[in-house]
Amino acid sequence: MYKTAILIMSDKGARGERQDESGRQIKESLGLSYRVDYYKIIPDEKEQIMAEICYICDQLAPALLLTSGGTGFSSRDVTPDATREVIEKIVPGIPEAIRYYGLQRTPKAMLSRAIAGIRGKTLIINLPGSVKGVRESLEAVLPALSHGLDILQGAASECGQG
């Protein structure tokens, strides 16, 4: 079971003006192989997002951190920018797979600025803020994710053997 954290970026959600449906969808999509140990909603503030990602990765050390929200074109959408500043390694294939999968359903998928990367032994994946976007993004990556997490956590050998 993979220790998982969920971080939602939503100004209205952080103020209690909107119920978080994307976090619920993340939990539902993950299934039994993932244990959500941390869940928080914060506003779309770059410095706060950076600080929270660092805290989660450095102090709580989950295998997986899924963020939701703040991946679009709005001036308040700063999640990928904050993530980029605190990761140690970029993992471009994950958002590429998400966008490719999404493009099979809507041309708007190309508008996502989401990124993925590694900090310490935590894989961070930016997801969209919509329930549909979260569900489809996780459909795209979950089949391969456990292997990557096992390698990152030191529980599996490298890819391409056999």
Side-chain angles (χ1 to χ4, degrees), residues 11-155:
D11 290 331
K12 288 182 180 179
R15 291 191 304 260
E17 298 172 3
R18 176 184 292 160
Q19 189 167 356
D20 172 44
E21 297 297 329
S22 62
R24 181 190 53 75
Q25 181 62 57
I26 291 170
K27 291 176 189 176
E28 185 178 304
S29 293
L30 287 176
L32 300 175
S33 296
Y34 298 84
R35 183 184 76 232
V36 177
D37 290 336
Y38 186 83
Y39 166 86
K40 189 171 184 180
I41 302 173
I42 62 173
D44 293 287
E45 296 291 342
K46 186 177 178 183
E47 296 300 322
Q48 189 173 355
I49 295 167
M50 290 169 54
E52 194 68 27
I53 290 173
C54 289
Y55 166 74
I56 292 168
C57 295
D58 300 349
Q59 302 302 314
L60 305 177
L64 179 63
L65 166 56
L66 297 171
T67 73
S68 177
T71 61
F73 285 14
S74 162
S75 62
R76 298 289 294 158
D77 290 337
V78 296
T79 302
D81 312 287
T83 303
R84 187 175 288 109
E85 288 202 31
V86 298
I87 60 173
E88 297 159 349
K89 295 178 181 178
I90 193 159
V91 183
I94 291 174
E96 289 169 5
I98 290 170
R99 281 187 279 273
Y100 178 78
Y101 189 85
L103 279 167
Q104 309 308 306
R105 289 143 184 81
T106 174
K108 293 177 184 174
M110 73 175 75
L111 303 177
S112 172
R113 298 185 320 107
I115 69 166
I118 297 167
R119 180 178 176 94
K121 291 195 173 232
T122 301
L123 174 62
I124 304 159
I125 303 174
N126 297 156
L127 301 172
S130 73
V131 171
K132 180 178 183 276
V134 163
R135 183 177 51 253
E136 291 177 357
S137 296
L138 290 173
E139 286 172 4
V141 300
L142 281 175
L145 207 53
S146 62
H147 182 67
L149 293 174
D150 287 345
I151 291 171
L152 184 59
Q153 299 292 307

